Every structure is written in C-alpha cells, then in structure tokens.
Amino acid sequence: MTELQKRLFSDSLFSFPAKAVLLLALALALATGCARGPYLVDTAPAKAAGSGEISNAKIVSIDGIVSLDGRGYGGATIELYPFDAFNAGKAAPVATITAVSDEDGRFLLRTRTGRYLLLAHTPTHFSYFGRNPVNASSNQRSTSLPLVPLQQLEKIAVEAGEESLSGRVLHDNLPVKNAVVSLYLETDRGFRGPPYQSAAATGADGRYHIAVEPGRYFMVARLRKVGGTRGPMAPGDLFGTHPVMPLKVTSATAITTDIGVVELPSAERMSRFLSRFATLAGVVIDANGEPVAGLRPCLYENPHLLNDPVEVGQPTGSDGKFTIKTTRSGLFHLGARATLGGPPISGEPVGYAAHVPPEGLRLAPGSVLTDLRIIVRIAP
C-alpha cells in the first residue's frame, strides 16, 4: 500500500463516503490516466454467487439534480450505498454505485431494486438526499441533492467522562438561531422519529453543545420555522446532516465541528428548478413512408425497447406526428409501441428510431431534437 493509500484510510477528517470518493478518483486516475469519467453509470445485474449466471433482479433508474445556491452543479460525484450495509457500518468502496453530474447538475444511476443511501460529494461540498433511504423498487425521478460546504472537524483531548460534540449550525455560512442538533444511533428510518439525544436550541451565534458518551452517532440539524420539534418538515424549514456518518466519539475526546443546513424548497420551486425540458419531435411512419396512427412514442433505457419506458408521449394521430418533453438527461433509445411493458409480441407493430447513434440519443435540459423518424415494422 502506498503512502497516499495509507493516508486515505487513516483516521482523518473524512467520512467513509469521502474516503470512497478519494479512492475512486485514485483508481480512475491510475486506470485511465486521469481521463474524465462518464456521467452515466450503467450497472449490469450481478452474477449469482458461484453460478456464473446473471440474476433476474429488476434494474431501475434513479435520476435527479445536484445543486449549489439554487443552480445545477456539474462534476459532483453521486454515490449509492447498499443501505443495510451502510447502516450497520459494513459498507465498502467497492460496493458503491457512482455517477458524475453533468454541466447542468443532472445525473442518472441504474441499479438493481433495493434500499439505498443516496449522497453527493465534491472536494469542498456534501449533500444528503432528504428522503433517504431510497426504496428503489421502481424508477426514482427528480431527486434533489443540494450541496453545503464541508466543515472542518477538530478533536480535543479531555478528561474521561467529559466527551462532547459542539460547534455551529450554518446556513449560507451564517449562524442559525433556534436550530436543534440531534443524534441518532442508526439511519434506518431516515432520521425520522425520536432521536437518541438532542442539544438545546441554538442561540444567535448558532452554537450547540451535547455531552455524550463514547460511541458512534449520526448527527442532524433542523430548524422548523413554525416551531416545535416533532412531525414532518415543511417547505422553508432548514435541514442538514453531518457528512461524517457515523461520527465516532472516542474516550477522553471532545469534537468540535459545524453543520451546514439547506432550506427545503416548495413543490412549486422544485418544479421550476427541474422543468428545463428536452424536446423530441418527429413522425412515426411505415416502411413505405406512410404515417402510422395509434402508436405511443417512448424513451427507453434498453435499445430493444424492453421493460417499462422512462417517458411516454401521446398516441400519434393520422399524420403520425409525435412530441415528447422530458426533464431527463443522458442517453436514451427512442421507439414507438402500441402496448407498454415487456418485450414486443409476435404480430405487434413496433417502431424504431432511424438514423440515430447505436448508443442512443443524448438528451440535456433545453435540448431540441426535431425531424426524428420512427419506422414501424411487425414483430416476428
């Protein structure tokens, strides 16, 4: 192990996820000569242990946007951790699924169905998905990952029995009054429900202090603007987690560290933020160039138009024309189906886009693709 690798795995200011990011960056640099990685990560189903066969686990997609100060942020690393392993402290870098946000902050992950923890990192910022854990039994759309600055962490030697956690709650680098910092022993319920321990509400300086016993804690800060300490949070409230998860307090040690929080947006604000649509338009025709009515234009992640489409347009009329608007970014395959879901059946008319790259159409917010042609043939 090199000195750099030893330092990455030493007891430092970095949480496990941050170490995973650094290790991933090191591995990519060694393997690719520091070439920039793809924004889309396409994960295949895992092989069944010892069998060499591909499992039949369903593949789902998780898409969303990473933002900073209300704008999409490119180049952030998005991480998806198997939740049960993470909650038990057993996750390892090799178990993560990662992607990098594009220049508009958008990302797309594909993974097997399951329960995951969704995080984002840059060298200087961190984000925790507010609806963690993600129950990915179906496609998850428009997940929001707002970034906050990473804060320094200082360990101070104290007398045994005087262990504590202290620091400030910050919003836009300004102290937050009346915020409550709480400790949880696990992330199983996504920090919902009664905490293990809480500090008194912060004063005008945003400072908190909690006397604790040695152990491992997940630290959360909240400000409910309507008051109270229980119940679901509302738009305008402030919420944040400490990026070191869990934060380990050893005997005879006090830790000083700040916590960054973000404002929970209203549904209207999120709609405006996520609604930079890509537009696809064209015509569905048969082999003779005649328009075909009654087929729905669809976007798929699978080039053979298998599984459920990720976007579906209105059925074509007598002129065969179609339009699809989507907030998705990445590579997608365009087709037209009379029935949705499952493979085409014998005798079914199925349309495939003509004259497009084999990897699919690349979509980005605001992009417009017109004069597309979908040519219909009968499935054998």
Side-chain angles (χ1 to χ4, degrees):
M1 182 178 284
T2 67
E3 285 302 314
L4 177 57
Q5 290 170 322
K6 291 178 182 177
R7 287 167 57 194
L8 291 180
F9 282 93
S10 66
D11 184 15
S12 68
L13 302 184
F14 291 102
S15 62
F16 166 77
K19 290 178 182 176
V21 174
L22 292 174
L23 180 62
L24 177 65
L26 176 63
L28 288 174
L30 292 175
T32 67
C34 297
R36 185 176 179 180
Y39 123 90
L40 169 65
V41 173
D42 187 1
T43 58
K47 291 184 178 180
S51 69
E53 298 296 328
I54 298 295
S55 72
N56 293 321
K58 181 180 177 181
I59 299 298
V60 297
S61 63
I62 300 174
D63 69 48
I65 188 165
V66 180
S67 62
L68 179 62
D69 299 329
R71 298 188 178 188
Y73 187 95
T77 298
I78 300 91
E79 301 172 310
L80 200 62
Y81 290 87
F83 181 76
D84 292 337
F86 186 95
N87 194 46
K90 298 178 181 179
V94 71
T96 64
I97 299 166
T98 64
V100 177
S101 59
D102 69 10
E103 61 184 7
D104 294 295
R106 296 179 183 271
F107 67 89
L108 173 66
L109 293 161
R110 296 182 64 202
T111 185
R112 289 175 291 169
T113 55
R115 202 165 178 228
Y116 297 94
L117 191 76
L118 182 63
L119 306 171
H121 285 275
T122 77
T124 57
H125 290 75
F126 163 81
S127 183
Y128 173 93
F129 178 52
R131 296 201 304 273
N132 273 322
V134 177
N135 293 309
S137 57
S138 60
N139 295 333
Q140 306 290 310
R141 299 183 178 182
S142 301
T143 55
S144 176
L145 290 168
L147 294 165
V148 297
L150 286 170
Q151 305 295 337
Q152 294 295 316
L153 183 152
E154 182 181 4
K155 295 181 178 180
I156 305 169
V158 297
E159 295 292 330
E162 296 183 1
E163 296 83 6
S164 67
L165 291 164
S166 61
R168 299 173 301 166
V169 178
L170 302 174
H171 180 230
D172 292 336
N173 290 319
L174 296 175
V176 177
K177 183 180 179 181
N178 293 328
V180 175
V181 174
S182 300
L183 303 180
Y184 291 80
L185 300 182
E186 59 183 17
T187 62
D188 187 59
R189 297 183 62 189
F191 307 133
R192 301 171 183 89
Y196 171 74
Q197 192 174 351
S198 292
T202 57
D205 59 2
R207 292 196 173 276
Y208 71 92
H209 180 89
I210 313 178
V212 297
E213 296 181 352
R216 56 193 294 272
Y217 303 99
F218 297 90
M219 189 156 56
V220 175
R222 297 183 178 93
L223 171 63
R224 289 178 169 86
K225 293 189 176 180
V226 297
T229 59
R230 299 291 177 86
M233 302 191 73
D237 290 348
L238 303 182
F239 174 83
T241 66
H242 197 279
V244 181
M245 295 191 294
L247 184 59
K248 297 179 181 179
V249 180
T250 57
S251 179
T253 301
I255 294 178
T256 300
T257 184
D258 296 338
I259 306 175
V261 295
V262 297
E263 181 177 339
L264 302 184
S266 65
E268 180 184 4
R269 179 181 168 192
M270 279 305 302
S271 177
R272 290 198 307 267
F273 186 51
L274 293 167
S275 62
R276 292 187 60 197
F277 290 96
T279 302
L280 301 92
V283 62
V284 179
I285 57 177
D286 61 20
N288 297 318
E290 297 297 321
V292 177
L295 294 189
R296 289 180 176 269
C298 303
L299 290 179
Y300 287 86
E301 294 172 338
N302 184 288
H304 303 295
L305 314 189
L306 304 180
N307 303 323
D308 293 331
V310 297
E311 295 287 353
V312 180
Q314 293 297 316
T316 54
S318 58
D319 59 3
K321 292 183 179 180
F322 71 88
T323 300
I324 297 178
K325 289 183 177 291
T326 179
T327 60
R328 293 177 177 272
S329 294
L331 290 167
F332 297 95
H333 299 276
L334 175 65
R337 296 281 302 272
T339 59
L340 304 179
I345 60 175
S346 179
E348 177 189 349
V350 181
Y352 294 87
H355 308 299
V356 299
E359 65 271 18
L361 296 169
R362 182 172 294 279
L363 302 182
S367 60
V368 177
L369 302 178
T370 59
D371 299 325
L372 297 169
R373 290 193 303 156
I374 299 176
I375 300 178
V376 175
R377 61 175 182 263
I378 303 300

